[in-house]
């Protein structure tokens, strides 16, 4: 598929992420800008909730339960906001259209970088976690179950271990159903919308509601949001962490909703009741996108929550002294602290410390200030200068100090992961993110972006007030015989284009994309799937019956027969839990295919075929060596070669057992 033919799939992905949520936000009586900012969060909440309800009722996953649950949430929003007048303007002003133009300004360069990174719409990410993501989407399509309560059951687990946030996979499954594309194409369409639309739109929402609605602010936000490596590009390369990327792309909007409760900035123009409902739905959306985003919101939003608490306490003091109110405030505070602590230590994976510290604390702070996390060799000069200028500016502005405090907390978490020795304290602080500096680095742009806007506005206003700017404006107006205001517009336009070009060139993004493109490389040397292997996978549906199970080694990519060919495999994921029968097949099949115990295990599992992609593994970890019975099969009696492609992709039928 060429990129132009990919466009309808991208448009469909955007519609799925925006239209249902826009209906909900509109019913909460928000204005168009807030509707645009909150829509993806609300759509994600509706998709996640619809998946759980449909799964419990046995209703197959499709767009119908998604739209039905969206309509029900919208109806509930209407009831809750009864008495609040509609706030949608009849004829939008040109200023209300500015965010849409700014999104285009950000989307074009992000899309171009995405194309450079991925190479082709159907190229899969050739990295560890994508084995799970590809097969999880097929699991939803195969079973019709998109519930977050059991998505991880594809790994052979059950109960609470099977819980995994399914919203991103649910959207991808809808794209496969509605657009009739393969799973990797649906993945890339969804990720492109997340990176090029959701992320900048969410940043604009935060900036417009808490910093400024000026055109200069939106231009700054557009350029800064699209020129940082840490997000969105890092998360569609490292891991890849696609659901996490969906959550972070919407995080600025969730922070804005929290700011709405504290009545910060221009959030006062929208009803408090609307913000309260919007935040509740937003938190549900974040939870269904990626569970860790709940703890991220608690940590990053702590200064806002503290400010809200202080205002409530001050308001209580101004009223007639009433011990009952004081006790109510104390009890409410303790309840919130207890719930927050429980969530902090429960919404996290099991202790995992494989990623230790990599730099000294001072170096980690330097990486934050230069916006070059993960020891990037090239600092993001423009974003760094603007964000530092923004920090200096907000310290003088009491109304925006909370931005610096939020940035400080996110930065402190990054410093802990990057430099603190492995310990119980390190796990307690950053265990939510697997103590992984990559995941925490992706959080830095959440507040570096609005701070860079603050700094950019300060620098721009100082320049415009200078004698040099006034003289240049007059020269431009006189040279082209324009009126003074036209000369000012021309100067602003030239400055905007120059700033965008400088931010794009003077930074690490070009260098990073060039190196990271190997993750999506699709050739004979690919780590997960090669052209020969894909060619064989495409022929499997005509060679393997739909009810048959294929023995595989997930470490060499053969488990992708499930995602690509819609044929069940014995082991769908690299870290899947294996029972005794599965372990026996993986260990002994090649050496003793006619062994009575092996034949019994094959019959129980209905394993009739073996897919052998050789011993070129995705990553050399001990787990890759536990599949000797289904790897590097040659001439074995009882294993008949059915089809092959090249030297390393072979499909065998098991004939040894009676």
């Amino acid at each position: 598929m060429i990129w132009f033919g990919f466009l309808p799939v991208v448009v469909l992905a955007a519609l799925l992420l925006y239209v249902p949520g826009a209906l909900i936000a509109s019913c909460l009586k928000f204005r168009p800008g807030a509707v645009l900012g909150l829509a993806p969060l609300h759509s994600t909440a509706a998709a996640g909730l619809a998946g759980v309800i449909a799964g419990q009722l046995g209703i197959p996953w499709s767009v119908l339960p998604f739209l039905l649950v969206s309509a029900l949430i919208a109806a509930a929003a209407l009831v809750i906001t009864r008495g609040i007048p509609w706030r949608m303007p009849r004829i939008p002003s040109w200023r209300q259209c500015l965010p849409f133009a700014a999104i285009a300004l950000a989307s074009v360069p992000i899309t171009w970088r995405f194309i450079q990174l991925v190479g082709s719409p159907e190229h899969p990410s050739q990295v560890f976690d994508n084995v799970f993501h590809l097969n999880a989407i097929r699991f939803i399509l195969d079973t019709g179950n998109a519930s977050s309560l059991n998505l991880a059951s594809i790994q052979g687990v059950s109960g609470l271990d099977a819980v995994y946030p399914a919203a991103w996979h649910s959207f991808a499954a809808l794209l496969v159903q509605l657009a009739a594309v393969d799973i990797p194409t649906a993945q890339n369409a969804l990720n492109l919308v997340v990176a090029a639309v959701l992320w900048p739109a969410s940043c604009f929402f935060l900036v417009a509601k808490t910093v400024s609605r000026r055109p200069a602010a939106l231009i700054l936000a557009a350029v800064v949001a699209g020129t940082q490596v840490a997000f969105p590009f890092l998360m569609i390369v490292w891991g890849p962490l696609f659901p996490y990327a969906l959550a972070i792309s919407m995080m600025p909007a969730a922070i804005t909703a929290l700011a709405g409760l504290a009545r910060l900035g221009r959030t006062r123009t929208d009803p408090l009741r609307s913000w309260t409902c919007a935040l509740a739905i937003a938190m549900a959306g974040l939870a269904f996108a990626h569970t860790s985003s709940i703890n991220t919101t608690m940590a990053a939003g702590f200064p806002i929550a503290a400010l809200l608490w202080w205002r409530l306490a001050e308001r209580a003091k101004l009223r007639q002294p009433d011990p009952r109110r004081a006790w109510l405030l104390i009890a409410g505070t303790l309840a919130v602290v207890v719930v927050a602590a429980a969530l902090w230590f429960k919404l996290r994976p099991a202790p995992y410390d494989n990623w230790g510290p990599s730099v000294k604390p001072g170096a980690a702070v330097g990486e934050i200030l230069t916006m070059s996390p993960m020891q990037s060799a090239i600092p993001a000069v423009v974003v760094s200068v603007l964000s530092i200028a923004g920090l200096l500016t907000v310290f003088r502005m009491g109304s925006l100090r909370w931005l610096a405090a939020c940035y400080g907390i996110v930065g402190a978490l990054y410093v802990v992961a990057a430099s603190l020795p492995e310990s119980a304290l390190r796990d307690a602080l950053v265990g939510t993110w697997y103590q992984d500096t990559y995941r925490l680095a992706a959080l830095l742009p959440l507040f570096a972006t609005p701070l860079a806007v603050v700094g950019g506005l300060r620098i721009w206003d100082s320049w415009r007030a200078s004698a040099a700017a006034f003289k240049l404006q007059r020269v431009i107006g006189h040279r082209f015989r324009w009126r003074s205001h036209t000369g000012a517009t021309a100067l602003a336009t030239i400055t905007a284009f120059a700033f965008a070009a400088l931010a794009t060139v003077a930074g690490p993004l070009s260098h990073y994309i060039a190196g990271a493109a190997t993750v999506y490389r699709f050739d004979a040397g690919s780590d997960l799937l090669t052209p020969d292997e894909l060619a064989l996978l495409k022929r499997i549906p005509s060679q393997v019956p739909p009810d048959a199970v294929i023995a595989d080694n997930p470490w060499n990519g053969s488990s992708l027969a499930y995602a690509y060919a819609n044929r069940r495999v014995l082991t769908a994921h690299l870290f899947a839990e294996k029972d005794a029968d599965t372990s026996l097949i993986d260990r002994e099949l090649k050496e003793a295919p006619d062994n009575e115990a092996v034949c019994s295990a094959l019959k129980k599992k209905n394993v009739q075929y073996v897919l052998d992609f050789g011993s070129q593994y995705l990553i050399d970890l001990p787990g890759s060596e536990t599949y000797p019975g289904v790897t590097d099969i040659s001439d074995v009696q009882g294993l008949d070669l059915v089809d092959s492609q090249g030297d390393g992709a072979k499909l065998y039928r098991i004939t040894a057992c009676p």
Side-chain angles (χ1 to χ4, degrees):
M1 176 182 289
I2 61 173
W3 286 103
F4 184 77
F6 182 61
L7 183 60
V9 190
V10 175
V11 172
L12 179 59
L15 292 175
L16 289 172
L17 284 162
Y18 271 95
V19 173
L23 173 65
I24 296 170
S26 298
C27 290
L28 287 174
K29 312 298 176 60
F30 281 106
R31 290 190 173 95
V35 169
L36 179 68
L38 292 168
L41 276 166
H42 293 175
S43 291
T44 305
L49 184 59
V52 172
I53 294 174
Q56 294 297 108
L57 297 178
I59 300 173
W61 177 245
S62 70
V63 73
L64 294 180
F66 175 38
L67 294 180
L68 179 60
V69 170
S70 300
L72 291 175
I73 296 175
L78 278 178
V79 172
I80 293 172
T81 57
R82 184 177 51 187
I84 299 175
W86 291 93
R87 304 165 66 79
M88 302 291 285
R90 294 179 180 177
I91 303 177
S93 67
W94 70 272
R95 279 189 174 273
Q96 289 170 329
C97 296
L98 277 177
F100 298 94
I103 288 176
L105 180 62
S107 296
V108 171
I110 293 177
T111 299
W112 174 243
R113 295 297 189 185
F114 187 90
I115 291 172
Q116 289 179 316
L117 175 67
V118 175
S120 181
E122 65 272 11
H123 284 181
S125 168
Q126 304 266 352
V127 190
F128 189 90
D129 284 347
N130 206 28
V131 176
F132 173 80
H133 297 316
L134 290 166
N135 283 336
I137 296 169
R138 174 59 67 189
F139 176 81
I140 293 174
L141 295 168
D142 181 29
T143 64
N145 192 331
S147 175
S148 297
L149 300 180
N150 65 354
L151 184 62
S153 63
I154 192 176
Q155 301 182 91
V157 295
S158 59
L160 290 177
D161 291 335
V163 175
Y164 190 94
W168 181 89
H169 302 87
S170 301
F171 282 122
L174 289 178
L175 283 177
V176 175
Q177 291 175 337
L178 298 174
V181 295
D182 62 16
I183 291 176
T185 300
Q187 274 191 338
N188 287 327
L190 187 56
N191 290 335
L192 177 55
V193 173
V194 166
V197 183
L198 265 64
W199 165 244
S202 192
C203 288
F204 299 154
F205 184 41
L206 176 60
V207 167
K209 281 296 186 182
T210 62
V211 178
S212 173
R213 289 194 305 163
R214 292 167 51 187
L218 295 179
I219 291 172
L220 283 162
V223 174
V224 172
T227 56
Q228 299 178 74
V229 168
F231 196 82
F233 297 104
L234 187 62
M235 290 299 97
I236 55 180
V237 172
W238 171 254
L241 305 178
F242 299 146
Y244 187 67
L246 172 62
I248 295 179
S249 71
M250 304 183 294
M251 190 70 66
I255 295 296
T256 306
L258 182 59
L261 289 189
R263 316 305 279 166
L264 299 175
R266 293 191 65 261
T267 61
R268 298 184 186 91
T269 61
D270 295 295
L272 182 60
R273 202 188 320 168
S274 298
W275 281 122
T276 304
C277 295
L279 180 61
I281 300 172
M283 296 306 291
L286 289 178
F288 283 121
H290 201 278
T291 314
S292 68
S293 58
I294 300 299
N295 283 352
T296 300
T297 305
M298 287 196 302
F302 176 76
I304 303 174
L307 183 60
L308 175 61
W309 181 89
W310 182 257
R311 289 181 176 180
L312 291 174
E314 287 292 314
R315 187 180 302 174
K317 288 181 182 179
L318 293 176
R319 293 177 178 174
Q320 193 71 19
D322 187 348
R324 289 177 298 178
R325 290 184 181 275
W327 282 111
L328 183 62
L329 181 62
I330 294 172
T333 302
L334 290 175
V336 170
V337 170
V338 170
V339 171
L343 292 174
W344 184 264
F345 288 103
K346 288 296 183 182
L347 296 180
R348 60 172 55 207
Y352 189 88
D353 59 358
N354 281 20
W355 294 304
S358 55
V359 295
K360 298 294 184 182
V365 173
E367 291 177 359
I368 295 171
L369 294 177
T370 58
M371 286 309 296
S372 55
M374 304 310 304
Q375 304 168 55
S376 173
I378 305 174
V381 178
V382 174
V383 179
S384 173
V385 169
L386 294 183
S387 59
I388 292 174
L391 281 171
L392 296 176
T393 301
V394 298
F395 281 128
R396 302 174 185 175
M397 301 169 59
S399 60
L400 288 178
R401 286 177 184 165
W402 61 270
L403 268 179
C406 293
Y407 191 40
I409 289 177
V410 171
L413 292 174
Y414 175 80
V415 171
V416 168
S419 63
L420 202 67
E422 296 174 8
S423 62
L425 175 61
R426 186 173 186 261
D427 179 64
L429 293 175
V430 295
T432 294
W433 302 273
Y434 290 89
Q435 305 186 46
D436 177 20
T437 46
Y438 283 90
R439 287 171 168 86
L440 289 161
L443 302 181
L444 297 175
L446 293 176
F447 298 103
T449 300
L451 284 170
V453 171
V454 173
L457 289 176
R458 178 63 181 270
I459 294 172
W460 171 244
D461 290 341
S462 299
W463 159 251
R464 286 185 64 190
S466 67
F470 181 72
K471 183 178 179 180
L472 181 59
Q473 179 179 320
R474 290 186 60 185
V475 168
I476 293 175
H478 178 73
R479 178 77 174 86
F480 295 97
R481 298 183 180 180
W482 288 335
R483 282 177 277 180
S484 59
H485 71 275
T486 309
T489 302
L491 177 60
T493 303
I494 293 170
T495 304
F497 277 104
F499 168 66
L502 180 62
T504 302
V505 174
L509 192 54
S510 296
H511 181 265
Y512 178 78
I513 294 295
T518 57
V519 167
Y520 286 86
R521 185 186 69 182
F522 186 62
D523 56 30
S526 296
D527 292 330
L528 179 61
L529 191 67
T530 67
D532 282 347
E533 293 165 350
L534 177 59
L536 180 57
L537 289 179
K538 289 181 177 180
R539 297 197 295 268
I540 283 180
S542 64
Q543 297 163 332
V544 177
D547 62 337
V549 176
I550 301 173
D552 65 302
N553 180 345
W555 295 85
N556 62 18
S558 55
S559 64
L560 295 183
Y562 189 41
Y564 279 88
N566 194 19
R567 293 297 182 266
R568 298 198 178 190
V569 294
L570 188 59
T571 310
H573 187 50
L574 292 81
F575 286 153
E577 295 286 337
K578 297 196 292 185
D579 58 23
D581 290 329
T582 300
S583 298
L584 179 63
I585 294 169
D586 291 339
R587 188 177 62 252
E588 303 291 343
L589 179 60
K590 182 175 68 175
E591 300 300 328
D594 57 351
N595 178 274
E596 184 178 350
V598 172
C599 287
S600 175
L602 292 171
K603 186 175 181 180
K604 289 179 184 178
K605 296 295 183 179
N606 195 30
V607 174
Q608 302 176 31
Y609 292 82
V610 183
L611 185 59
D612 180 16
F613 282 175
S615 53
Q616 179 179 328
Y617 299 134
L618 173 62
I619 185 172
D620 287 326
L621 288 178
S624 63
E625 301 171 358
T626 61
Y627 297 83
V630 294
T631 306
D632 287 334
I633 299 170
S634 53
D635 295 328
V636 177
Q637 188 175 1
L639 299 180
D640 297 346
L641 183 65
V642 176
D643 195 1
S644 65
Q645 184 77 29
D647 296 328
K650 299 176 182 179
L651 175 67
Y652 295 89
R653 185 162 60 91
I654 303 172
T655 60
C657 299

